[in-house]
Amino acid sequence: MSTNLPATTKARTDVAIATGNDDFVTMTIADQLFGIPVLQVQDVLGNQKITRIPLAPPEVAGSLNLRGRIVTAIDVRLRLGLPARDRDKPVMSIVVDHRGELYSLMVDSVGEVLSLSSDKYERNPATMDPRWRDLSNGIYRLDETLLVVLEVSKLLNFANLEAA
Amino acid sequence: MDDLLSEFLTETNENLSVLDVELVRLEQNPNNPELLSNIFRLVHTIKGTCGFLGLPRLEHVAHAAENVLGKFRDGELAVSPGAVSSILESLDVIKGILAALEQTEAEPAGDDSALIARLNAIAEGKDVAAPGKAPAPPAVAAEPEPAPAPAVAEAKTPAPVVKAPPPPAVAEVAQTKELVVQEAAPEPPAPIAPPPPVHAAAPMGGDADLNKESAVAAQTIRVNVDLLENLMTMVSELVLTRNQLLQILRSQKESEFAAPLQRLNHVTSELQEGVMKTRMQPIGNAWAKLPRLIRDLSHELGKKIDLQMLGADTELDRQVLELIKDPLTHMVRNSADHGLETPVERLRAGKPETGRVTLNAYHEGGHIIIEISDDGRGLNIERIRQKAIQNGLATEAELAQMSDQQIAQYIMRPGFSTAQQVTSVSGRGVGMDVVKTNIEKIGGTIEMKSQTGRGSSFIIKIPLTLAIVSALIVECAAERFAIPQISVIELVRAASDSEHTIEHINGTPVLRLRNRLLPLVSLQKLLRLGDAQEQSETFIVVTQVGTYTFGIIVDRVFDTEEIVVKPVAPILRHIEMFSGNTILGDGSVIMILDPNGIASASGEMMVSETAQSRETAVAQTTNRDDRMALLLFRAGGEAPKAVPLSLVARLEDIDLATVEISNGQPVVQYRGKLMPLVPIDAGWELRREGRQPVLVFADGDRSMGLIVDEIVDIVEDRMSVELAHERPGLMGSAIIAGKATEVIDAGFFLTQAYKDWFGSAKIEGFDEERQNRVLLVDDSPFFRNLLTPLLSVAGYSVTTVESPEIALELREQGEMFDVIVSDIEMPGMSGFEFAQAVRRDPRWQDVPLVALSSHASQRDLDRGRQAGFTDYVAKFDRDALLSALSQTLVEAKGAAA
């Protein structure tokens, strides 16, 4: 437990104190740009063979083998309440470490790593979809578009979802 | 936690468990100077380290204990049970403080002055019988009787914290699935060092006694368990990768990788073996606490107990070891408390005064077998029976049908304690069920044997390691799953063209397997794997969980594979169907099914079903015994017909060309005689060619052939005639093998062949003047109908009644019978009660009584005899019934004459 506490606290303070620049891996889902702090990202994967897990929550797409470790795949689209992706569309995944377990976040595409300055950061607008607001840590104003920062720990917090 | 402190805790916990053992040995063996100095040194080390770390409370207690031990060592004091008790008690206090230390990193507040004062008093020789005698006389010291009462009694009070094992360690082990990366507190028994004193390299060093063993200490190092766990995981990965590589290699003919891969293969295997070994610990580590436990128990209970431990060096995975530690302790405690008698009782039973509890561990084919046996009184079956009834676990009727072994199984049920008094030791009602669950959790099994007066033994079978298991790979709805091999009993292929087909009861699939109905669970439905497609063939994995056997329906079965069980991600842990997941040799991820989870998922359905149909269940239990072998055939009309197989002598296939007509009746020459043929169907016309199946009924030298169209099957089924028929020759209709079946009245056709069939027996004649009168008591109309012709054929005059009450009315009316045949299981008055009633009254007192029951075990026999039955016959054994009747009558007449 204690091994990952520093990581999460650090991520949070990065956003909160926000002095200087933070690095994010960007990705798109349904034409919306999202970002995850680069330090939490382990891997970026292309299409993978995924084993279905019966009885699992619908957001859990299955599990896959990443160099001998079993990784649980989460369909971020479904997690965000978006419609499922077309079968023939390509999938990319970002592998993150959460409390010692690896999770693969399935997204439409993965972009570059951006270093974003804190003066472009803003809290979530109050009018945002509550489901998104729960999973997001804030917004960065980019030149052409907006980047929603996803918080991995909330994204993987299924217990809360069930309780709610 | 401070490194120094955690190091201290680990070491001290180890030392304490060694001390427990050594002190008990000392008590039995007070003159062993080496033992004494070893104990002294251990306590001294604890004390010294406490002082070094600034733990005054611990230091004071340890110091006081050390004082007493010092006096022992120097021969100034004799070793006495009282003194040893006090020292053990001080160790308990130390353990309590340590546990608190581990949680809070600070010494808990508390007052040990009473204990210290007592220890000091002992040190000054006040509390000891013979303080003056310098070299302890063995006779006095070895006396294992309880110490002077005050010492023991007081010992209970001032030590409120007696729980020894540090909680965090236990908690961590309990969550086996979470062993991945945790910066856990060091666990008490380090995996490498064997328990005897090896870790002499205490922070204080110096002492002359210590140097002797430091050479041994240098051979071992202390390694964090987490490190080993990680190593194990890595090796598992390596093994899997190697398997993948080998698989690739196999598909290539010539490869320059072949040689190096072969080498990699060997190295990996050895590495795996080596790492597995580091996880192995002798089972003796789990037993270390037991001698102390037994000693305390023997004092508390006033019993003399000898604990024998065999095979303590048998090694098993430390994870498994941790999990069986508590169940083992519990069972040993049970054996000593419930199993063994007091010395007085033992002497009375002609057994040695000292009871023995034996622990034996050994390897057997990939499993570890642990036997816990005692030579005590054995399980009290009668009390278990009473308790089972009391707790509503079973009815008396159900229990009456069970063997002692089956009844004994009830002690594994939750909330079952037969201890009449709850002692402080055991009998709190949390017991064997917990043990059983814990053992089953790690894929083990537990068996039990008990002999009244001779003792009982429990046999635990557990897998060597949890890390790698052999699993059967199956497929269902295009998904593959692994099922642990240990719970798989057999595989059955079910297809429309094979002998096994899946049948449905109200949509619930079942399978007939060797005369039993096996409940089936569809994996597809259970895991909601989409709609069922029509499968031409399916496979059934027959699985056993505890005593519950069921079949899992799958589409395909592949081979077995050695798999490394990995815990599933935390977000999936709530799914009970899976015990983990793994990566197969081909690199794909596969879920491991948990038979326990599946059983409880399907079992829950069963529970609700039972609740709904309890009434029917009760009805069934009474009728369940009416199962009998029936011959199914067709003759005239679509509906299958049935006749009890016991009535049929032979099945013949007659060439119709040989049939002759005599006296207007078809006959056939059969075994040198003429056998009349009787058609069931009145409209049957004799053909002149072809063959015809015939059921032959025979009696004495007469036989009769019943012409049928086709012989269908022989089934064993419960038969209750539900619709009575007006038509002659038919007894009624019943559901047999799921179909409405007409049950024929054999007696009717017999009289068709020979008008005097039933009279014929006179010729064989038991008694030419009069027929012997038989009173038949049976609640089932079917049996009355069945047995009446049977007995009539044999020459008896039969009176039937449907209940014992009516039979007794006949007695009141002054009826007399030569013999009474009675069923046992009847509503209202049972056969046993009936027999007692018959024997109580002078009128029928001498009438022989024959019991008819579907159970004819020795126990039933005995019970029947006690109730007053003369003989006891299995229900469907017609020959046995007839011979029993004639035998009984001959004897009765002989007695009368």
Side-chain angles (χ1 to χ4, degrees), chain A residues 1-3 49 51-57 60 63-65 68-70 72 74 100-101 103 156 158 162, chain B residues 181 183 237 477 479 481 526-529 566 569-575 577-578 581-583 587-589 591:
Chain A
M1 288 232 305
S2 49
T3 42
K49 186 180 156 198
T51 304
R52 259 202 308 162
I53 302 172
L55 308 179
V60 177
S63 49
L64 56 99
N65 171 8
R69 286 196 65 176
I70 295 176
T72 310
I74 310 289
E101 293 279 334
Y103 295 88
L156 298 174
F158 281 73
E162 276 157 25
Chain B
V181 202
E183 213 181 286
E237 305 304 347
E479 303 281 341
F481 298 96
L526 200 65
L527 300 182
R528 296 189 214 122
L529 290 168
K566 291 158 183 272
I571 55 169
L572 302 172
R573 293 235 166 101
H574 64 280
I575 309 175
M577 304 301 163
F578 304 119
N581 48 15
T582 192
I583 299 173
S588 55
V589 179
M591 302 302 293

Side-chain angles (χ1 to χ4, degrees), chain B residues 109 121 126 285 405 416 510 534 603 750 806 825 839 882-883:
Chain B
K126 281 179 192 159
N285 287 9
Q405 286 295 340
F416 203 95
V510 291
E534 268 311 301
L750 298 179
I806 299 177
E825 291 91 9
R839 290 288 173 253
L882 291 179
S883 73

Side-chain angles (χ1 to χ4, degrees), chain A:
Chain A
M1 288 232 305
S2 49
T3 42
N4 327 269
L5 269 174
T8 18
T9 20
K10 196 161 138 214
R12 203 167 286 149
T13 41
D14 277 354
V15 178
I17 301 170
T19 49
N21 287 356
D22 291 312
D23 294 340
F24 292 93
V25 175
T26 61
M27 55 200 182
T28 42
I29 303 164
D31 299 326
Q32 171 65 53
L33 194 66
F34 290 91
I36 288 179
V38 75
L39 288 174
Q40 292 185 30
V41 175
Q42 298 251 329
D43 246 299
V44 176
L45 305 173
N47 215 347
Q48 294 281 321
K49 186 180 156 198
I50 291 177
T51 304
R52 259 202 308 162
I53 302 172
L55 308 179
E59 294 93 331
V60 177
S63 49
L64 56 99
N65 171 8
L66 176 66
R67 292 187 291 275
R69 286 196 65 176
I70 295 176
V71 179
T72 310
I74 310 289
D75 193 329
V76 183
R77 262 177 171 268
L78 297 179
R79 190 78 180 94
L80 291 170
L82 295 168
R85 119 182 5 89
D86 292 339
R87 269 175 193 279
D88 45 352
K89 282 266 182 70
V91 183
M92 288 189 84
S93 302
I94 294 179
V95 180
V96 294
D97 184 311
H98 178 61
R99 306 191 177 204
E101 293 279 334
L102 293 185
Y103 295 88
S104 148
L105 306 176
M106 294 165 68
V107 297
D108 292 359
S109 66
V110 178
E112 54 195 337
V113 176
L114 294 181
S115 185
L116 300 175
S117 126
S118 57
D119 53 7
K120 292 185 176 169
Y121 172 78
E122 232 166 85
R123 292 184 172 279
N124 288 328
T127 50
M128 204 160 81
D129 180 342
R131 188 156 188 176
W132 285 44
R133 220 166 43 210
D134 282 348
L135 301 175
S136 163
N137 242 341
I139 312 286
Y140 276 92
R141 286 172 279 112
L142 306 190
D143 290 343
E144 284 144 27
T145 181
L146 298 172
L147 180 142
V148 179
V149 178
L150 286 181
E151 180 160 352
V152 171
S153 59
K154 287 181 179 167
L155 203 59
L156 298 174
N157 190 353
F158 281 73
N160 256 6
L161 185 77
E162 276 157 25

Side-chain angles (χ1 to χ4, degrees), chain B residues 351-363:
Chain B
K351 291 198 256 191
E353 200 179 7
T354 306
R356 178 182 295 166
V357 176
T358 311
L359 276 168
N360 189 9
Y362 53 93
H363 283 258

Side-chain angles (χ1 to χ4, degrees), chain B residues 758 761 766 772 774-776 786-800 821 878 881-882 885:
Chain B
F758 287 139
F766 295 100
N772 284 307
V774 176
L775 175 65
L776 175 63
L786 176 74
L787 289 174
T788 311
L790 184 76
L791 294 172
S792 308
V793 165
Y796 296 95
S797 147
V798 186
T799 308
T800 57
V821 178
R878 123 193 150 120
L881 174 62
L882 291 179
L885 280 180

